[in-house]
Amino acid sequence: MSEAFEDLPDVALLTGEAEALARAVKKRRREYATVRHCARRALAELGLPPAAILSGANREPIWPEGVLGSLTHCDGYRAAALAHVGTIASLGIDAEPHEPLPPGVLDTIARPEEYPLLDRCASEQPGIHWDRLLFSAKESVYKAWFPLARRWLGFEDATVHFDSRGGTFAVEIHESGPVCGERPLSEMNGRWLVRDGLIRTAITVPAA
């Protein structure tokens, strides 16, 4: 894994990446370049050469053969997590500012059973914005799900159970999923961290 806490100047883009940014504003170009620089550092950690990281039809990163991974960026943070295919089945990472969600957003991402779970967590750890943490966890769920299922998974299709003190969470998936390890993928497990004004979540799906 590789991360950056600010955009890096003069990051070189590889073939196809610059073309993808032809109409992007400067801020978008800088975050795009920095997160791909993180991806190439992560490739180097795996002993692999630099490669262009383009995007698919659903904005998912297209990795070199034999590699899987996930990207994330928010204000003040960029990161890439990669692994060799076969060591794990999939992974997803997400980062968000440690701030409350805008009004009305929680009702669009939370299932009814998650409200009392969030209330319990808030009573145990009142200094954490659990609504934003739920959003981040579900983003990581989707990023781990999509490469395996190749289809959409909505916020309403997963229930997240946080361990408020252990930094972990468990996920129940309510959508029929791909077979992984000889059984449908109906559960995931992840980790969360709140530090330095950032929320970070990550999910790893074990290999079969």
Side-chain angles (χ1 to χ4, degrees):
M1 180 172 177
S2 176
E3 57 188 359
F5 294 88
E6 60 183 2
D7 285 326
L8 306 175
D10 304 322
V11 174
L13 295 174
L14 301 186
T15 301
E17 294 176 341
E19 290 81 352
L21 290 177
R23 299 183 180 180
V25 299
K26 183 177 180 180
K27 179 179 184 295
R28 170 60 178 153
R29 293 178 65 88
R30 293 185 66 182
E31 69 182 20
Y32 181 101
T34 299
V35 79
R36 275 151 180 81
H37 179 75
C38 290
R40 286 188 263 280
R41 289 194 306 198
L43 283 171
E45 292 173 1
L46 295 178
L48 299 172
I53 311 299
L54 305 181
S55 298
N58 293 280
R59 299 178 61 188
E60 77 281 10
I62 301 174
W63 300 107
E65 185 176 356
V67 175
L68 57 84
S70 183
L71 303 174
T72 189
H73 57 81
C74 69
D75 286 343
Y77 189 73
R78 321 283 188 231
L82 278 66
H84 290 290
V85 170
T87 56
I88 57 175
S90 187
L91 65 88
I93 63 171
D94 186 70
E96 301 288 334
H98 186 216
E99 301 170 354
L101 286 174
V105 174
L106 181 61
D107 290 341
T108 69
I109 69 163
R111 290 174 59 91
E113 67 270 21
E114 288 175 321
Y115 287 95
L117 299 176
L118 295 178
D119 289 342
R120 185 205 69 212
C121 289
S123 68
E124 295 171 349
Q125 291 271 46
I128 293 175
H129 296 298
W130 290 98
D131 56 345
R132 181 78 71 161
L133 185 50
L134 178 67
F135 179 88
S136 181
K138 292 196 174 188
E139 285 287 303
S140 286
V141 168
Y142 176 74
K143 291 178 182 181
W145 162 274
F146 184 82
L148 297 173
R150 307 305 300 178
R151 54 188 167 86
W152 179 258
L153 185 76
F155 289 110
E156 72 281 1
D157 295 324
T159 300
V160 177
H161 302 264
F162 290 109
D163 179 340
S164 66
R165 300 189 184 279
T168 62
F169 60 93
V171 183
E172 298 176 65
I173 297 173
H174 307 291
E175 179 74 11
S176 176
V179 174
C180 186
E182 299 185 353
R183 63 178 183 177
L185 182 61
S186 60
E187 299 176 348
M188 292 184 183
N189 291 286
R191 300 193 64 84
W192 62 267
L193 176 69
V194 176
R195 181 185 295 170
D196 301 327
L198 292 168
I199 290 171
R200 282 168 276 183
T201 59
I203 284 176
T204 299
V205 180

